[in-house]
C-alpha cells in the first residue's frame, strides 16, 4: 500500500455550499491558485451542471491551474456527467469526474424511491459514462457511512468494475465515530474483491466535531485519499479541516509510520487567510493550526518553558505552517514597484488595470496609517477588486453622529457617467450609511450578519467589515470592505454586496442532495 495520502480539496465545491460563502470567478481563481501553491493533489473546483457560473469556474480552473488534478462533481445522471466531463476537459490527463449517488436505506426510500438493484444499475451506468469521457473517475456512495455494509461493498465493487479509480466513502451527515468508521474501511478492504484496483477515499462532515478524527482513523485503516476544506468550511458544521489532517500526519509521524502528504505546509496560514477573506467566513481565534491564538502562550509557566526549550509546550514550529513569514511593512513612501513586488510575493497575479486600482487605495491608506503590512495589502487587493466589479463605487461619504445627534449619512455613488447622491438618517452611523445607499438604489437589503475586524494591530489599523445580506428571496450575499474608518468600510462592504447582486451572485445555489 502506498504511503502517500492524496489531499483532495473541496473548498470550492463543498466549502462554497456554506450559506453566504459563495465566491465570484475572480475569487475562485485566487483560491485555486493558492491551493496549487499549497500543493494539494486534487482541487474539486465545482459542480458544473448547477449553473453557468459553476461551469465557467471549473473550466477556467481546468484551463489555467497547473499541478493538481482538477475535478468536477456530478450526480449520477447523464446531463451532470457530461457537463462535468466538458468542464474538466481542458485539464487533459489531470481531469477528474466525481460521480455521486445516495446508497443508504433512508436515502433510497425517502429521497430516491429506488431499490438496491436500481442503485447498482445506476452506479454502473454513471461510472461507465464518466469513464467514456475521462480516464480518472471517482465514485461516492452518498451517506456511505450509514449504508448497510454488505450493500455498500456491492456498490463499491460494481463501481470499481465499471471503471472507478477512486471510491470515496462519505460520512455525509457527520454521524460516524472514529473506531466504527475505521472498521467500515477495514470491512470494505476485506469484502470488496477488487478493492486494490482503486484508491479508498474518505469525506467526513463535522456535525459531531469528529470529521478530522474520523479521517485520521480511516487513514490508519488504509484510506489513501482524504477530502476536506481549508478552515473546515462547508455545509452545516463543515468538512474535515485539511490543515489539521495534514499537520496531524506530519506531527505524529511516529504514530502514522511513514505516511505523508505532498502539502507545502508553509503555505497553510496564507491559504487559510485567503479563504477566510474570499468566503467571508471568519476563522475562530482558537482554531487549531490557523487561529490567531493557535501558538499564543499566555500563561507565565508556558512562556518560561518555551523560552528554555520551545518543544516543552509547542508540538509544532509555527513557522512550519507559515506563521511569522512576514516581511518589512511598506509605507506611503514605497513606490509602485515595491508594492508590485510585494503583491507578487503574496501570490497575487493582477492585470495592469488591477494594479493601478490597488495602488490608488494603497496611497490613500498609506496617508492614513504609518505602515502598510502584508495583511493590509491583501485586504486592499480584495477591496479594489470588489470595486472593480461592474457596479457602483463609493465616491464620497460623510456621516454625522454623536450621543445627542440623529445619525445622518450623505453618500455619493458613481457608476460610469451616472452620479447619485442622497442622505438619510439612521439608527446609528452604519445604519444611516446603508439606508442612504438603499434609498438611492430603490432597494431594501436586510443585514443578517455584520463583522468588523482589525487587519493588524494598532489604533490606526485597517478595519475590514464583512457582512451577509439578504436582498430578497432568502439568498445570502457576502460583502467586504476595508478602510481605517469603520463606517466607510461598512459602506464599502454594503456596496460590494450590492455589486455582487448586480453581477449575478443571486444565482441559485446547488442542492447537492437533490434527487437525480
Ligand atoms: O457529503 C457528501 O456526501 C458529498 C458528496 C457529494 C461526496 O459532499
Ligand atoms: Zn460533503
Amino acid at each position: 500500500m502506498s504511503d502517500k495520502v492524496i489531499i483532495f480539496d473541496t473548498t470550492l465545491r463543498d466549502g462554497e455550499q456554506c450559506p453566504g460563502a459563495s465566491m465570484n470567478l475572480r475569487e475562485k481563481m485566487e483560491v485555486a491558485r493558492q491551493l496549487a501553491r499549497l500543493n494539494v493533489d486534487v482541487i474539486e473546483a465545482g459542480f458544473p451542471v448547477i449553473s453557468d457560473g459553476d461551469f465557467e469556474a471549473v473550466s477556467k480552473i481546468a484551463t489555467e491551474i497547473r499541478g493538481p488534478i482538477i475535478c468536477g462533481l456530478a450526480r449520477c445522471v447523464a446531463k451532470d456527467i457530461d457537463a462535468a466531463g466538458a468542464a474538466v476537459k481542458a485539464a487533459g490527463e489531470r481531469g477528474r469526474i466525481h460521480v455521486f449517488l445516495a446508497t443508504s436505506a433512508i436515502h433510497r426510500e425517502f429521497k430516491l424511491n429506488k431499490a438496491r438493484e436500481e442503485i447498482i444499475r445506476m452506479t454502473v451506468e454513471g461510472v461507465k459514462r464518466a469513464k467514456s469521457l475521462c480516464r480518472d473517475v471517482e465514485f461516492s456512495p452518498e451517506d456511505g457511512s450509514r449504508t448497510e455494509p454488505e450493500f455498500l461493498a456491492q456498490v463499491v465493487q460494481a463501481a470499481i468494475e465499471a471503471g472507478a479509480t477512486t471510491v470515496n466513502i462519505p460520512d455525509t451527515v457527520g454521524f460516524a465515530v472514529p473506531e466504527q468508521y475505521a472498521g467500515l474501511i477495514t470491512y470494505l478492504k476485506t469484502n470488496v474483491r477488487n478493492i486494490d484496483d482503486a484508491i479508498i477515499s474518505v469525506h467526513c462532515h463535522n456535525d459531531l466535531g469528529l470529521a478530522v478524527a474520523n479521517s485520521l482513523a480511516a487513514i490508519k485503516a488504509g484510506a489513501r485519499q482524504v477530502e476536506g476544506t481549508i478552515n473546515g468550511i462547508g455545509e452545516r458544521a463543515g468538512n474535515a479541516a485539511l490543515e489539521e489532517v495534514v499537520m496531524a500526519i506530519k506531527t505524529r509521524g511516529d504514530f502514522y509510520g511513514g505516511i505523508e502528504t505532498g502539502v507545502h505546509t508553509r503555505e497553510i496560514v496564507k491559504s487559510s487567510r485567503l479563504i477566510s477573506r474570499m468566503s467571508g467566513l471568519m476563522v475562530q481565534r482558537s482554531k487549531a493550526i490557523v487561529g490567531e491564538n493557535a501558538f499564543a502562550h499566555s500563561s507565565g509557566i508556558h512562556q518560561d518553558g518555551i523560552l528554555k526549550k520551545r518543544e516543552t509546550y509547542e508540538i509544532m514550529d509555527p513557522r512550519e505552517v507559515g506563521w511569522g513569514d512576514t516581511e518589512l511593512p511598506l509605507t506611503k513612501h514605497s513606490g509602485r514597484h515595491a508594492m508590485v513586488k510585494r503583491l507578487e510575493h503574496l501570490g497575487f497575479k493582477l492585470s495592469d488595470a488591477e494594479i493601478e486600482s490597488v495602488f490608488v487605495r494603497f496611497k490613500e491608506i498609506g496617508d492614513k496609517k504609518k505602515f502598510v503590512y502584508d495583511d493590509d495589502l491583501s485586504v486592499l487587493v480584495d477591496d479594489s477588486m470588489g470595486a472593480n466589479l461592474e457596479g457602483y463605487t463609493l465616491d464620497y461619504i460623510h456621516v454625522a453622529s454623536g450621543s445627542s445627534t440623529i445619525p445622518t449619512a450623505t453618500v455619493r455613488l458613481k457608476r460610469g457617467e451616472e452620479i447619485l447622491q442622497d442622505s438619510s438618517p439612521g439608527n446609528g452611523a452604519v445604519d444611516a450609511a446603508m439606508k442612504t445607499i438603499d434609498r438611492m438604489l430603490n432597494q431594501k437589503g436586510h443585514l443578517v450578519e455584520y463583522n468588523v475586524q482589525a487587519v493588524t494591530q494598532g489604533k490606526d489599523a485597517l478595519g475590514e467589515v464583512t457582512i451577509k445580506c439578504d436582498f430578497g428571496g432568502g439568498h445570502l450575499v457576502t460583502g467586504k470592505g476595508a478602510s481605517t474608518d469603520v463606517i466607510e468600510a461598512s459602506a464599502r462592504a454594503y456596496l460590494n454586496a450590492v455589486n455582487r447582486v448586480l453581477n449575478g451572485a443571486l444565482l441559485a445555489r446547488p442542492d447537492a442532495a437533490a434527487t437525480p
Side-chain angles (χ1 to χ4, degrees), residues 199-500:
I199 303 275
I200 302 178
S201 168
V202 286
H203 175 115
C204 300
H205 280 270
N206 206 28
D207 300 66
L208 292 173
L210 292 172
V212 171
N214 286 336
S215 306
L216 292 170
I219 290 173
K220 201 65 179 161
R224 285 296 175 267
Q225 176 175 285
V226 177
E227 303 192 359
T229 59
I230 303 297
N231 300 338
I233 66 171
E235 291 225 75
R236 310 183 306 279
N239 290 59
L242 285 180
E243 66 279 9
E244 294 178 19
V245 173
V246 167
M247 289 315 291
I249 294 172
K250 187 165 182 189
T251 308
R252 294 306 310 274
D254 59 320
F255 183 72
Y256 289 102
I259 291 176
E260 35 181 46
T261 72
V263 167
H264 295 163
T265 59
R266 276 183 178 269
E267 293 289 330
I268 285 179
V269 168
K270 211 195 270 180
S271 309
S272 161
R273 291 186 166 197
L274 178 84
I275 284 152
S276 169
R277 286 202 315 277
M278 296 297 161
S279 63
L281 300 171
M282 306 286 164
V283 175
Q284 173 195 333
R285 286 189 90 83
S286 53
K287 161 90 179 55
I289 319 288
V290 292
E292 284 289 332
N293 290 356
F295 293 91
H297 300 271
S298 59
S299 109
I301 296 173
H302 287 209
Q303 287 176 350
D304 181 54
I306 295 258
L307 289 174
K308 288 178 175 146
K309 185 158 177 67
R310 191 184 57 75
E311 288 80 359
T312 49
Y313 285 103
E314 251 175 32
I315 58 166
M316 292 166 270
D317 182 341
R319 285 169 302 184
E320 219 185 322
V321 294
W323 283 109
D325 275 352
T326 43
E327 307 234 340
L328 279 179
L330 301 173
T331 69
K332 68 175 176 185
H333 302 297
S334 310
R336 184 191 308 263
H337 183 66
M339 188 201 76
V340 171
K341 278 267 160 271
R342 187 59 59 80
L343 286 172
E344 279 168 12
H345 169 78
L346 292 172
F348 290 104
K349 218 175 132 194
L350 305 180
S351 67
D352 289 350
E354 287 168 340
I355 287 175
E356 194 46 48
S357 55
V358 178
F359 192 61
V360 171
R361 292 283 284 136
F362 167 72
K363 284 290 174 187
E364 265 170 40
I365 296 301
D367 269 339
K368 291 182 185 156
K369 74 196 286 285
K370 202 166 167 194
F371 296 118
V372 180
Y373 296 94
D374 287 354
D375 283 346
D376 291 326
L377 208 52
S378 305
V379 166
L380 289 186
V381 173
D382 276 0
D383 206 37
S384 8
M385 295 303 103
N388 275 357
L389 284 174
E390 197 122 320
Y392 295 94
T393 51
L394 183 70
D395 195 40
Y396 168 89
I397 178 163
H398 173 83
V399 180
S401 74
S403 53
S404 49
T405 330
I406 295 174
T408 310
T410 305
V411 179
R412 187 162 64 228
L413 302 182
K414 265 190 175 168
R415 186 188 193 187
E417 298 298 301
E418 185 188 0
I419 296 182
L420 301 173
Q421 182 167 321
D422 206 344
S423 51
S424 167
N427 188 16
V430 170
D431 185 49
M434 293 179 180
K435 276 209 171 101
T436 310
I437 295 174
D438 275 352
R439 252 169 84 103
M440 281 186 280
L441 302 180
N442 199 17
Q443 61 175 32
K444 205 164 166 40
H446 173 56
L447 192 63
V448 177
E449 218 178 283
Y450 176 95
N451 275 296
V452 61
Q453 219 179 18
V455 176
T456 53
Q457 293 179 356
K459 292 196 194 87
D460 66 350
L462 267 186
E464 189 183 26
V465 171
T466 307
I467 59 165
K468 298 213 188 304
C469 241
D470 180 358
F471 291 94
H475 296 279
L476 291 188
V477 181
T478 299
K480 287 169 284 184
S483 170
T484 47
D485 177 330
V486 292
I487 309 301
E488 181 186 331
S490 306
R492 287 182 179 278
Y494 196 63
L495 210 52
N496 178 240
V498 169
N499 287 341
R500 280 169 191 261

Side-chain angles (χ1 to χ4, degrees), residues 37-323:
R37 279 192 289 272
L38 184 63
N39 208 31
V40 300
D41 300 287
V42 186
I43 296 176
E44 186 162 57
F47 197 166
V49 82
I50 286 303
S51 70
D52 291 347
D54 263 56
F55 185 92
E56 191 189 356
V58 178
S59 28
K60 196 165 161 65
I61 289 170
T63 309
E64 292 185 17
I65 302 298
R66 297 278 151 257
I69 290 171
I70 309 299
C71 175
L73 184 68
R75 288 167 298 187
C76 202
V77 290
K79 73 171 177 2
D80 283 40
I81 296 168
D82 294 351
V88 301
K89 196 164 190 272
E93 284 297 289
R94 290 183 300 105
R96 174 180 294 187
I97 302 179
H98 178 187
V99 181
F100 75 97
L101 178 62
T103 50
S104 62
I106 188 166
H107 279 239
R108 292 197 310 268
E109 184 180 346
F110 296 101
K111 188 177 93 169
L112 302 175
N113 191 22
K114 295 208 186 305
R116 288 181 173 203
E117 301 68 39
E118 180 71 351
I119 297 291
I120 297 214
R121 189 192 61 71
M122 287 176 72
T123 299
V124 171
E125 235 175 57
V127 171
K128 282 191 170 159
R129 189 173 189 105
K131 196 75 185 176
S132 72
L133 302 170
C134 190
R135 188 186 50 84
D136 186 345
V137 174
E138 170 167 336
F139 178 76
S140 287
E142 191 191 9
D143 206 16
S145 61
R146 290 198 300 170
T147 302
E148 307 88 322
E150 77 295 349
F151 178 57
L152 183 66
Q154 283 174 30
V155 176
V156 166
Q157 187 164 310
I160 297 173
E161 245 158 43
T165 37
T166 301
V167 281
N168 181 39
I169 311 302
D171 182 27
T172 304
V173 290
F175 183 71
V177 292
E179 293 79 1
Q180 172 239 335
Y181 193 55
L184 182 61
I185 302 301
T186 306
Y187 177 86
L188 294 174
K189 280 178 73 70
T190 323
N191 291 284
V192 174
R193 187 177 29 78
N194 51 5
I195 196 74
D196 291 337
D197 296 341
I199 303 275
I200 302 178
S201 168
V202 286
H203 175 115
C204 300
H205 280 270
N206 206 28
D207 300 66
L208 292 173
L210 292 172
V212 171
N214 286 336
S215 306
L216 292 170
I219 290 173
K220 201 65 179 161
R224 285 296 175 267
Q225 176 175 285
V226 177
E227 303 192 359
T229 59
I230 303 297
N231 300 338
I233 66 171
E235 291 225 75
R236 310 183 306 279
N239 290 59
L242 285 180
E243 66 279 9
E244 294 178 19
V245 173
V246 167
M247 289 315 291
I249 294 172
K250 187 165 182 189
T251 308
R252 294 306 310 274
D254 59 320
F255 183 72
Y256 289 102
I259 291 176
E260 35 181 46
T261 72
V263 167
H264 295 163
T265 59
R266 276 183 178 269
E267 293 289 330
I268 285 179
V269 168
K270 211 195 270 180
S271 309
S272 161
R273 291 186 166 197
L274 178 84
I275 284 152
S276 169
R277 286 202 315 277
M278 296 297 161
S279 63
L281 300 171
M282 306 286 164
V283 175
Q284 173 195 333
R285 286 189 90 83
S286 53
K287 161 90 179 55
I289 319 288
V290 292
E292 284 289 332
N293 290 356
F295 293 91
H297 300 271
S298 59
S299 109
I301 296 173
H302 287 209
Q303 287 176 350
D304 181 54
I306 295 258
L307 289 174
K308 288 178 175 146
K309 185 158 177 67
R310 191 184 57 75
E311 288 80 359
T312 49
Y313 285 103
E314 251 175 32
I315 58 166
M316 292 166 270
D317 182 341
R319 285 169 302 184
E320 219 185 322
V321 294
W323 283 109

